[in-house]
Amino acid sequence: MRLVALDVLKASHGPTHEQYVDAAGTAWICTSIKGWLTAPARRTKHDERETGDGAHRSAAYRQTRSMSIEGRFFPLSDTVAWDTAERLLAICPDPGERYPLVVDGAVRPLLAYVEQAGEVLVEQTGPRQWDWSVPVIAADPYRYAVAWASVGPSSAGTDGVGGIATSGSGIVSSSPGIATGTAPTLATATVTGTGTVDNQVVLQATGPTAGVQIADLGGTSIVGIRGTTAAGENLFINTSGRVAFDVPGCPTPIPAYGAVLGGANARGAVWVTGGWPRLRPGDICTFRLTGATGPGTALTVHTRGTWV
């Protein structure tokens, strides 16, 4: 059974004509999700050139995604029907909140973050049949994998542990050569891109750290962390231009190109050179954390497949 789920609403949809039945015995079907299988238009401006052919072109960002979810429910009684209608009219009640809309597709479920965008309509159209429609809008026009994929934590040993041992006036060696210890452990994480556009990537550095850097080994990007973080503290860094919701272990959404430490904004603790790292569909990227580390230091990379 394929389902559509949003706040208090859950209904079946798709070609099998199955009906989702809730705890009160009411059967729900979704007959249409207008705008779900739509690529929001590009918001591009063209200013005519006064001294040449053509026009000057602005940046081409996508518009919001507007949708209308429509369907029917079939209650067991008139009392249940009115109670169900009242609950549905209160869907997505917080105007400052963005709610996850999950739609099961034929290949995979995808998620968009939406808010109510107009009148919610509920109308009785038969003795035991009620029609409904819920208009919503997604400020972020992209659709995402329902769950984040996390690689790590990859632990890092204390820098400088092991290596060449020296004493006295110089290096003491004997056949067959210089004896060496264990090299420092470097925390690395390798991730793979999915979807149809750039994935969301969140870097999580777990303390203790001091002046560490996270490098994309296949590119030019280096993300640095100023100062120190204490043992057990987690700094989350969003490397994408879209808000990162529901990141595992992070108590708050992370702003675009932002950072969160202990639930508070920590963008000032982060510097970037070589551009922000990108994870395109099908790409395989390896990230490495270096710098002053200690027992418990770790790197975790969270990714979320993204679809238009």
Side-chain angles (χ1 to χ4, degrees):
M1 181 187 300
R2 299 183 200 168
L3 296 176
V4 177
L6 172 64
D7 194 28
V8 298
L9 169 64
K10 183 177 285 187
S12 63
H13 80 105
T16 60
H17 303 292
E18 295 176 274
Q19 296 180 351
Y20 169 77
V21 180
D22 65 18
T26 300
W28 293 78
I29 61 171
C30 175
T31 57
S32 175
I33 317 172
K34 297 175 182 176
W36 182 255
L37 288 176
T38 299
R42 294 285 187 181
R43 191 175 65 250
T44 310
K45 293 179 65 176
H46 295 86
D47 296 323
E48 296 296 325
R49 298 178 61 187
E50 296 181 1
T51 58
D53 297 331
H56 299 287
R57 179 179 179 272
S58 71
Y61 300 110
R62 289 196 184 274
Q63 296 178 359
T64 55
R65 180 185 296 273
S66 296
M67 293 173 282
S68 179
I69 312 167
E70 302 172 0
R72 297 185 177 95
F73 66 83
F74 305 91
L76 296 179
S77 69
D78 192 52
T79 301
V80 171
W82 280 85
D83 181 65
T84 301
E86 296 292 356
R87 286 188 291 109
L88 187 58
L89 291 174
I91 192 170
C92 304
D94 187 345
E97 185 67 44
R98 279 175 275 192
Y99 295 83
L101 165 64
V102 179
V103 178
D104 287 339
V107 178
R108 64 183 66 83
L110 292 178
L111 173 151
Y113 290 96
V114 304
E115 55 194 292
Q116 186 181 329
E119 291 184 338
V120 177
L121 301 178
V122 181
E123 181 182 9
Q124 184 173 8
T125 55
R128 290 289 184 269
Q129 177 175 305
W130 293 63
D131 289 3
W132 51 264
S133 65
V134 180
V136 294
I137 190 168
D140 179 349
Y142 294 98
R143 300 171 298 156
Y144 297 96
V146 172
W148 289 81
S150 301
V151 176
S154 173
S155 299
T158 304
D159 281 7
V161 174
I164 298 173
T166 66
S167 62
S169 58
I171 299 175
V172 179
S173 66
S174 60
S175 180
I178 299 173
T180 64
T182 303
T185 302
L186 297 176
T188 60
T190 300
V191 295
T192 302
T194 58
T196 58
V197 292
D198 282 12
N199 288 207
Q200 285 193 301
V201 178
V202 172
L203 308 175
Q204 176 185 347
T206 302
T209 66
V212 297
Q213 301 177 8
I214 303 172
D216 175 3
L217 299 186
T220 61
S221 176
I222 298 176
V223 179
I225 301 173
R226 297 184 178 93
T228 63
T229 58
E233 284 190 327
N234 290 289
L235 178 66
F236 296 87
I237 305 168
N238 181 8
T239 71
S240 75
R242 304 183 294 276
V243 177
F245 291 94
D246 304 323
V247 179
C250 188
T252 62
I254 310 172
Y257 302 126
V260 168
L261 176 65
N265 180 20
R267 179 61 181 86
V270 176
W271 57 266
V272 180
T273 184
W276 289 95
R278 297 176 64 185
L279 182 63
R280 300 172 179 86
D283 279 358
I284 300 175
C285 294
T286 298
F287 295 91
R288 175 175 292 169
L289 182 147
T290 58
T293 60
T297 301
L299 170 67
T300 306
V301 179
H302 308 279
T303 62
R304 199 172 206 180
T306 308
W307 283 256
V308 174

